[in-house]
Amino acid sequence: MASRRMETKPVITCLKTLLIIYSFVFWITGVILLAVGVWGKLTLGTYISLIAENSTNAPYVLIGTGTTIIVFGLFGCFATCRGSPWMLKLYAMFLSLVFLAELVAGISGFVFRHEIKDTFLRTYTEAIQNYNKNDERSHAVDNVQESLSCCGIQSYTNWSTSPYFFKHGIPTSCCMNSSDCNTQDLRNMTVAATKVNQKGCYDLVTSFMETNMGIIAGVAFGIAFSQL
């Protein structure tokens, strides 16, 4: 009996070491997911809120999952060192839940990535028609036009049908040089053509979103399947 215990002890020690190493790697993946989620929220937040009201929750899922992984990764190391069966079972159950959460984030990212072109044209047109410079969606429009140096949907002329244009002209967020833009010029389409960015935002936004949502989805899927 004593010899059998001596034979199994190195095996148990080896398994414990492997599980501790895995828990540490798992903790690192939590840090990565948290970082990608925060980056996705900061980078894509404006575009997501503009493209659809019921938009993807992928960045939030990654932030929540990453934070939880960091906490439970430490719990996994502690459970392994203690050798507690119930702790290890709880840790195994948690790993399954994390796997599902990462799949949800990945699927959400890929689905939204392919829905962008279908929804952006409609929602951005609505945002231009309802633009008032003050609400959240109007701020999102200004943010997109300033950061991507674009104007309107296909071009600056899309603003000519907006109620805002008849009172104030094209928004100043379209201006190539804000110091060389005034309301009088922006009310005149002919003059405004020399003052504002000519390129529309549609192609720029959809391309930007497709690329970055693909990164988020790829990271989520990669980490999820590495846990198998």
Side-chain angles (χ1 to χ4, degrees):
M1 182 68 69
S3 61
R4 185 173 298 178
R5 286 180 180 176
M6 291 293 292
E7 290 175 0
T8 58
K9 189 173 181 180
V11 176
I12 294 174
T13 302
C14 181
L15 290 175
K16 278 188 175 182
T17 303
L18 288 175
L19 191 52
I20 289 173
I21 293 173
Y22 173 78
S23 296
F24 177 73
V25 172
F26 187 58
W27 183 86
I28 294 296
T29 64
V31 174
I32 293 173
L33 283 177
L34 177 61
V36 172
V38 171
W39 168 80
K41 174 57 182 171
L42 295 177
T43 306
L44 306 178
T46 298
Y47 305 95
I48 290 174
S49 66
L50 181 61
I51 286 177
E53 291 180 356
N54 299 319
S55 55
T56 178
N57 291 317
Y60 293 106
V61 172
L62 291 183
I63 290 173
T65 303
T67 303
T68 309
I69 283 176
I70 290 173
V71 174
F72 272 84
L74 296 174
F75 175 81
C77 290
F78 179 74
T80 305
C81 292
R82 286 288 302 273
S84 171
W86 74 266
M87 284 185 174
L88 291 173
K89 289 178 181 178
L90 180 63
Y91 185 49
M93 182 179 68
F94 167 73
L95 290 179
S96 301
L97 294 176
V98 166
F99 176 76
L100 293 176
E102 289 166 347
L103 282 184
V104 168
I107 293 171
S108 177
F110 271 118
V111 169
F112 187 67
R113 181 171 176 258
H114 293 295
E115 287 181 349
I116 290 172
K117 289 185 178 180
D118 296 333
T119 59
F120 179 65
L121 184 62
R122 174 179 54 81
T123 56
Y124 199 65
T125 300
E126 291 174 357
I128 287 178
Q129 292 301 314
N130 298 319
Y131 181 89
N132 61 18
K133 205 177 180 64
N134 296 316
D135 62 17
E136 184 179 351
R137 181 156 284 196
S138 296
H139 290 160
V141 170
D142 287 333
N143 193 341
V144 168
Q145 294 188 149
E146 288 174 353
S147 61
L148 298 180
S149 298
C150 59
C151 187
I153 305 169
Q154 281 82 23
S155 74
Y156 70 96
T157 58
N158 296 125
W159 281 102
S160 63
T161 61
S162 171
Y164 181 87
F165 174 79
F166 297 108
K167 294 181 179 179
H168 308 283
I170 298 174
T172 55
S173 57
C174 282
C175 294
M176 290 185 286
N177 184 355
S178 57
S179 61
D180 189 32
C181 267
N182 59 67
T183 303
Q184 187 176 352
D185 290 342
L186 294 176
R187 284 180 179 175
N188 187 321
M189 275 292 176
T190 304
V191 178
T194 63
K195 305 284 186 178
V196 301
N197 295 302
Q198 302 287 312
K199 193 166 186 177
C201 299
Y202 178 78
D203 290 335
L204 294 175
V205 171
T206 52
S207 176
F208 181 84
M209 287 293 293
E210 283 183 334
T211 299
N212 287 282
M213 286 306 296
I215 292 173
I216 291 177
V219 170
F221 272 130
I223 292 178
F225 283 102
S226 71
Q227 291 172 13
L228 291 178

